[in-house]
Amino acid sequence: MSTRTARFTLDPAFTIGEVNPRLFGSFVEHLGRCVYTGIFEPDHPTADEQGLRQDVLDLVRELGVTAIRYPGGNFVSGYRWEDSVGPAGDRPRRLDLAWRSTETNRFGLSEYIAFLKKIGPQAEPMMAINLGTRGVAEALQLQEYANHPAGTALSEQRVAHGDKEPFGIKVWCLGNEMDGPWQTGHKTAEEYGRIAAETARAMRQIDADVELVACGSSSQAMPTFAAWEATVLQETYDLVDYISLHAYYQPLDGDLDSFIASAVDMESFIENVVATADHVGARLKSKKKINLSFDEWNVWYTADWEEHTKNADPADWPEAPRLLEDNYSVMDAVVFGSLLIALLRHADRVTVACLAQLVNVIAPIMTEPGGPAWRQTTFFPFAQASKYGRGQVLDVRVDSPTHETKQYGEAELLHATAVRGEDGSVTVFAVNRSRTESLPLQVGLNGLDLTSIVEHSALADADPDARNTLADPERVAPHQVQGTALQDGTLTAVLEPLSWNVIRLA
Ligand code: AHR
């Protein structure tokens, strides 16, 4: 065990900001088996009258997701919303260029809203519109169909389709990853800024209170990063509420220590986007602040996908193929937990975040067609953060031992945040990035009336490669840690090597 101790002090006078429930959003894309045989499988033994798998719904509720972004992702850039409404048997089959699949449209807009309602009141729609192959007119048609109460051709069409109540979609994404050359209808920042502004202006003519997300960069590594945000926001600043960020992490060239420190990149990405957005605001002499929608984030082993595309038969357009079905290890879950910590540490500006994705596709929940559903390792950090990470984020400045990483130089071994609930309880979320050494932790509790430790739960394993699988779905789960103490205003604990920790104080 290391003798080097990591330390920080919590004080209720020093806060970052209130956690927006939308920080625990997720993402359902028409991709692989996320929808078909994921959330929707009419023949499944647990399917309800709408074809929704109830075993999956139970896990989605347990996961604690809030806003659910839909229907893509890259898929949205070829999406024709009108194909996805009306009698299911009449809906057309279409080529999905983004994922080289056949889209049956058996699951569409109405089914998405039904899915959200079944999850419960915490679930909220977050609809992306197609600005790749389509534009202002189609965005307005979709908005009218979805949200206008009645009395117009499109709203009456929705009523005739069986949805009397409008869907009340408040948050809209203006396209997806329009900076990426892989995107159908990829645009320059000037072209995208223009169409995003035109669309936003028109959508606000229907409803001034919609909340709009402009596309930022697909990752901080994009060659156009920052210039893209500056140009897009220059065009759209007064018309949108959020700029989006997307980031996926994986080990590169076997460099595990850099992978484990991925949140260093995520935090710098957030801080650079805040700086860019505020720079545009200053230039425009605006009092308004643009918030951040981190609407795609996760660990994703993209090399597997690249391999798949190399070997795919170009004549084959399968329905709901097995794509991006990453099976996550304990190590992946610790990195994932650290990404959650990064989001919480910036809760003042990151007010929407969507874990990409929800089921089967780089997802915390896996299913087998006709078979069971189970929790991946990443399920646990998300569920715990969503359950206990509500309230005020306290300003945590760690004094931690460091180690050298190839990508990020000296990286702190401790990555941590703390959230104070309305009842005064505090939850510390902490990751030990060392693969080999335990990390002693000391937390000073200034002005906090905390007298007991409710629990110290950890996700760690002697085998960091351990995973949950169809054959062994409960191999990995968090365990309780003994020996954590609270005395004379100081919390002491030992964080196991490569561990995600949740310490709840009351
Ligand atoms: O989440 C998978 C894909 O990753 C999304 O469709 C796209 O937006 C991103 O590149």
Side-chain angles (χ1 to χ4, degrees):
M1 190 176 87
S2 162
T3 49
R4 300 178 300 162
T5 298
R7 297 186 167 80
F8 60 88
T9 301
L10 297 178
D11 189 318
F14 299 109
T15 60
I16 302 277
E18 176 91 19
V19 179
N20 191 312
R22 288 178 179 158
L23 202 76
F24 303 108
S26 185
F27 177 30
V28 165
E29 176 165 9
H30 284 254
L31 193 183
R33 298 192 309 114
C34 184
V35 171
Y36 304 108
T37 73
I39 61 180
F40 180 77
E41 189 178 345
D43 297 336
H44 192 270
T46 72
D48 64 13
E49 69 295 345
Q50 284 164 310
L52 298 167
R53 282 182 64 150
Q54 295 188 68
D55 57 345
V56 173
L57 275 168
D58 286 343
L59 288 177
V60 169
R61 287 186 205 107
E62 184 185 326
L63 186 65
V65 295
T66 55
I68 299 189
R69 186 165 170 255
Y70 176 84
N74 297 340
F75 171 81
V76 81
S77 293
Y79 177 59
R80 294 163 45 92
W81 70 267
E82 58 276 35
D83 291 348
S84 83
V85 300
D90 296 348
R91 297 182 195 166
R93 294 164 64 83
R94 299 274 183 205
L95 294 183
D96 164 16
L97 305 189
W99 302 107
R100 222 183 159 77
S101 306
T102 297
E103 173 54 54
T104 64
N105 284 302
R106 177 63 192 79
F107 183 99
L109 187 53
S110 173
E111 290 79 13
Y112 162 61
I113 298 295
F115 172 63
L116 295 173
K117 285 201 182 125
K118 289 259 166 78
I119 296 171
Q122 70 277 22
E124 185 193 6
M126 180 173 177
M127 188 82 197
I129 57 170
N130 175 356
L131 291 185
T133 58
R134 304 190 120 189
V136 184
E138 294 89 350
L140 292 178
Q141 287 155 13
L142 170 55
Q143 188 185 4
E144 183 180 330
Y145 179 93
N147 282 2
H148 193 68
T152 65
L154 286 168
S155 56
E156 287 302 331
Q157 205 183 353
R158 186 197 67 242
V159 174
H161 289 158
D163 288 301
K164 188 166 180 303
E165 293 306 316
F167 298 148
I169 302 172
K170 191 138 185 97
V171 185
W172 298 84
C173 303
L174 301 171
N176 176 69
E177 293 190 348
M178 299 308 301
D179 63 323
W182 58 85
Q183 200 68 215
T184 313
H186 162 59
K187 294 183 173 31
T188 64
E190 288 76 14
E191 289 163 349
Y192 171 69
R194 187 84 204 121
I195 193 171
E198 285 168 8
T199 309
R201 202 172 284 114
M203 290 182 78
R204 289 198 187 285
Q205 284 181 282
I206 294 185
D207 176 2
D209 293 331
V210 285
E211 294 182 42
L212 302 176
V213 186
C215 285
S217 294
S218 310
S219 87
Q220 179 156 232
M222 292 298 286
T224 50
F225 172 62
W228 172 278
E229 280 77 0
T231 305
V232 168
L233 285 174
Q234 184 74 29
E235 282 287 334
T236 59
Y237 203 88
D238 291 332
L239 296 164
V240 303
D241 303 281
Y242 309 90
I243 183 90
S244 74
L245 298 82
H246 291 181
Y248 294 99
Y249 298 97
Q250 63 184 323
L252 297 173
D253 306 322
D255 177 7
L256 296 181
D257 286 334
S258 298
F259 171 55
I260 293 163
S262 292
V264 173
D265 177 79
M266 192 189 227
E267 295 209 16
S268 83
F269 189 11
I270 292 170
E271 286 156 21
N272 287 334
V273 173
V274 167
T276 308
D278 289 353
H279 169 77
V280 176
R283 269 190 359 214
L284 296 173
K285 310 203 167 17
S286 174
K287 289 201 172 68
K288 175 178 171 180
K289 290 281 182 221
I290 297 287
N291 280 329
L292 275 51
S293 173
F294 215 123
D295 47 42
E296 287 188 32
W297 67 269
N298 205 345
V299 171
W300 177 9
Y301 286 75
T302 54
D304 295 352
W305 159 246
E306 282 147 21
E307 196 55 30
H308 169 91
T309 48
K310 259 192 266 159
N311 299 328
D313 172 358
D316 192 20
W317 294 82
E319 278 179 36
R322 288 185 186 260
L323 295 180
L324 280 55
E325 299 200 4
D326 288 15
N327 183 205
Y328 292 116
S329 67
V330 169
M331 182 185 297
D332 296 328
V334 173
V335 174
F336 179 99
S338 186
L339 300 178
L340 277 164
I341 290 172
L343 294 171
L344 284 166
R345 287 173 62 84
H346 294 84
D348 53 335
R349 295 299 288 271
V350 181
T351 54
V352 181
C354 304
L355 161 61
Q357 301 195 1
L358 187 59
V359 183
N360 288 330
V361 172
I362 46 172
I365 299 170
M366 296 301 288
T367 70
E368 218 18 55
W374 67 97
R375 301 167 189 80
Q376 292 235 54
T377 54
T378 53
F379 184 98
F380 303 106
F382 191 98
Q384 290 175 313
S386 176
K387 191 163 180 185
Y388 303 118
R390 306 294 182 109
Q392 284 288 333
V393 180
L394 300 177
D395 192 358
V396 169
R397 312 267 169 116
V398 303
D399 168 14
S400 168
T402 59
H403 70 170
E404 184 63 23
T405 64
K406 279 200 195 112
Q407 274 192 60
Y408 307 116
E410 288 284 302
E412 284 163 338
L413 293 178
L414 175 69
H415 190 215
T417 189
V419 181
R420 185 169 189 235
E422 262 180 26
D423 59 359
S425 65
V426 168
T427 302
V428 171
F429 300 99
V431 156
N432 174 8
R433 287 176 173 147
S434 169
R435 287 189 282 141
T436 51
E437 289 181 64
S438 297
L439 183 64
L441 172 69
Q442 258 187 33
V443 182
L445 305 170
N446 273 0
L448 287 160
D449 187 20
L450 299 167
T451 51
S452 63
I453 296 164
V454 181
E455 65 163 348
H456 175 177
S457 141
L459 190 72
D461 202 283
D463 175 10
D465 198 43
R467 297 151 202 263
N468 291 339
T469 59
L470 173 62
D472 194 359
E474 293 181 6
R475 163 68 183 80
V476 178
H479 56 263
Q480 294 297 309
V481 178
Q482 304 306 319
T484 302
L486 177 54
Q487 212 180 357
D488 303 330
T490 302
L491 168 76
T492 53
V494 175
L495 311 184
E496 293 163 65
L498 198 59
S499 59
W500 154 262
N501 299 267
V502 180
I503 307 175
R504 292 170 53 214
L505 309 170

